[in-house]
Amino acid sequence: MTAKRQNLSQTALCAILIALSTVLGMIKLFHLPYGGSITLLSMLVATLCGYFCGTAKGIIACTALGLLNFILGPTIIHPAQVFLDYFLAFGLMGLSGITADKKHGLITGYIIGITGRFFCSFLSGFIFFAEYAPDNMNVIWYSFLYNITYIGIEGIITIIILNIPTVKNSLEKLKISI
């Protein structure tokens, strides 16, 4: 396959994965106030862009996902919060490509990607959403608990699913064919 054709194929794959991630993101298994929710594996599908197509394409694709999430249902407190919660947080999920060629690269890359998202959401929480913390609760602790509740739980569920041999083997074979 020529480089131009491979680039086009990877771009199309990323577009499909981001569209699927957007749809899965609308299926909320649990919804928190102020925008957090546990979805039907939407973060996994987004991180596959980086894992399958490389870190640069993954970051671009996941940033596009952040833009779509911003368009479809933003929670806006401050303009800087929009950048942190949507563009940077989602874009960092594309870092999943860093470990694509390593043993356990899918799971490790997924953890790296969602940790990047968690970190941005955590920062945003204590910078921009401090007023929502319960009285007498440390704002940093509030932000940590709020964000780990949805990102961490979806992450744990996803890692369990990724460790199912059929799922793991299927994704590994798919990666080889791309």
Side-chain angles (χ1 to χ4, degrees), residues 44-45 47-52 96-97 99-113 158-159 161-163 167-172 175:
L44 169 62
V45 175
T47 60
L48 289 176
C49 294
Y51 180 70
F52 288 152
S96 57
T99 60
D101 296 330
K102 308 276 191 251
K103 186 175 182 178
H104 308 294
L106 176 57
I107 292 173
T108 306
Y110 176 75
I111 292 169
I112 290 168
T158 303
I159 290 167
I161 290 170
L162 286 174
N163 278 300
V167 173
K168 187 176 187 174
N169 293 336
S170 296
L171 289 171
E172 290 297 330
K175 183 181 187 307

Side-chain angles (χ1 to χ4, degrees), residues 109-139:
Y110 176 75
I111 292 169
I112 290 168
I114 69 167
T115 299
R117 180 173 177 197
F118 170 80
F119 183 71
C120 289
S121 298
F122 169 70
L123 284 175
S124 175
F126 75 80
I127 295 170
F128 300 109
F129 291 86
E131 66 188 78
Y132 299 106
D135 291 338
N136 300 322
M137 183 175 206
N138 180 290
V139 175

Side-chain angles (χ1 to χ4, degrees), residues 39-75:
T39 66
L40 189 60
L41 305 177
S42 67
M43 291 192 301
L44 169 62
V45 175
T47 60
L48 289 176
C49 294
Y51 180 70
F52 288 152
C53 302
T55 305
K57 286 186 177 113
I59 290 171
I60 292 167
C62 288
T63 301
L65 176 62
L67 175 62
L68 284 171
N69 276 273
F70 173 70
I71 291 168
L72 294 173
T75 300

Side-chain angles (χ1 to χ4, degrees), residues 140-174:
I140 293 172
W141 183 239
Y142 167 74
S143 180
F144 176 82
L145 289 175
Y146 181 90
N147 289 291
I148 203 72
T149 298
Y150 72 98
I151 295 173
I153 292 173
E154 183 170 336
I156 290 167
I157 292 168
T158 303
I159 290 167
I160 290 168
I161 290 170
L162 286 174
N163 278 300
I164 297 171
T166 306
V167 173
K168 187 176 187 174
N169 293 336
S170 296
L171 289 171
E172 290 297 330
K173 287 179 183 175
L174 186 57

